[in-house]
Amino acid sequence: GAVVSQHPSRVICKSGTSVKIECRSLDFQATTMFWYRQFPKQSLMLMATSNEGSKATYEQGVEKDKFLINHASLTLSTLTVTSAHPEDSSFYICSARDRAGLGQETQYFGPGTRLLVL
Amino acid sequence: GENVEQHPSTLSVQEGDSAVIKCTYSDSASNYFPWYKQELGKRPQLIIDIRSNVGEKKDQRIAVTLNKTAKHFSLHITETQPEDSAVYFCAARGLRGYNKLIFGAGTRLAVHP
């Protein structure tokens, strides 16, 4: 099946610094990638939709200047948490949708990145 | 806005019993309904999905049913095993907003030997 990787898997940073998380589709092309945030024992909260070659679409309440998304190619999207604060600590998961064929809907998830801001 | 409700939030069964998780969705235009299984600290894994032109789909011990009129769909796991223990998420995909998935709150399933 389709494979999505994320890097890093875990990161600890100081408050005020920026952190970049990469999401890659390894064996398929993804015109659309999604970034989710998940708190312990809670559901997946969609933060933004990343489209190759265009600006990301952010969900209501998500600060676009705080969470910068870049989808530079059909296999790579990045999420940068700028000026991170302890409340940004969370599990960030990306997913990618295979563009091959009409009506492809399946989303494949990356392994997630656990961010801890001290 | 779009919403997906999922019940129950926790479910405990004995090994060999069946487990049923139910979801309702608000957007009548939704046409795709996947189910994901997430083990602790790991990524959600797609276990089964159903499209709106189908009422039921089965894959070994797992089945999903869809009632478009009532706007609800259910996951059925038969002959449960301890390795089925995980959090299960339902989702619905609408036709707006780049076809994003709206997830339910999740069901924590525990299968006791």
Side-chain angles (χ1 to χ4, degrees):
Chain A
V3 179
V4 177
S5 70
Q6 243 179 280
H7 179 79
S9 59
R10 186 184 299 265
V11 58
I12 301 173
C13 69
K14 292 182 179 180
S15 186
T17 60
S18 294
V19 175
K20 179 185 281 188
I21 302 170
E22 291 186 350
C23 178
R24 294 182 184 271
S25 56
L26 298 186
D27 53 0
F28 66 99
Q29 293 182 324
T31 50
T32 305
M33 290 184 173
F34 302 88
W35 286 96
Y36 294 85
R37 184 173 179 175
Q38 188 176 35
F39 291 105
K41 297 186 178 181
Q42 293 193 23
S43 188
L44 297 152
M45 185 192 80
L46 180 65
M47 299 174 64
T49 302
S50 169
N51 294 288
E52 187 264 338
S54 65
K55 292 182 179 180
T57 303
Y58 289 82
E59 294 299 301
Q60 192 172 6
V62 178
E63 299 176 58
K64 61 180 181 180
D65 295 330
K66 171 80 173 172
F67 300 98
L68 300 178
I69 291 172
N70 183 276
H71 195 151
S73 75
L74 288 172
T75 58
L76 173 64
S77 177
T78 60
L79 168 68
T80 301
V81 183
T82 62
S83 187
H85 288 94
E87 56 265 31
D88 297 325
S89 300
S90 189
F91 192 50
Y92 292 88
I93 311 178
C94 71
S95 73
R97 192 165 63 210
D98 192 341
R99 73 191 292 257
L102 292 175
Q104 279 290 340
E105 302 113 332
T106 304
Q107 280 185 220
Y108 301 97
F109 282 86
T113 297
R114 192 163 298 282
L115 170 64
L116 177 61
V117 184
L118 302 177
Chain B
E2 304 114 327
N3 185 48
V4 175
E5 294 191 0
Q6 184 172 346
H7 299 281
S9 57
T10 60
L11 181 58
S12 182
V13 300
Q14 290 296 126
E15 182 177 2
D17 288 349
S18 295
V20 180
I21 303 171
K22 299 181 179 181
C23 290
T24 59
Y25 59 97
S26 60
D27 185 359
S28 58
S30 296
N31 60 2
Y32 173 66
F33 309 91
W35 284 88
Y36 287 87
K37 174 184 179 182
Q38 186 179 30
E39 296 178 10
L40 187 63
K42 298 191 175 179
R43 77 183 81 195
Q45 297 272 17
L46 178 71
I47 56 172
I48 196 167
D49 57 13
I50 191 168
R51 289 165 179 78
S52 57
N53 59 346
V54 176
E56 184 174 357
K57 183 177 179 180
K58 188 174 182 179
D59 182 4
Q60 300 183 338
R61 296 188 296 110
I62 296 174
V64 57
T65 58
L66 171 65
N67 184 327
K68 285 179 60 179
T69 304
K71 291 191 286 186
H72 69 69
F73 56 112
S74 300
L75 177 71
H76 304 254
I77 305 175
T78 59
E79 301 172 29
T80 53
Q81 301 166 4
E83 48 265 40
D84 294 330
S85 297
V87 179
Y88 291 82
F89 292 100
C90 65
R93 187 199 77 161
L95 299 180
R96 291 169 285 187
Y98 295 100
N99 308 138
K100 61 186 179 183
L101 290 177
I102 306 299
F103 282 86
T107 296
R108 187 171 300 275
L109 173 65
V111 181
H112 301 285

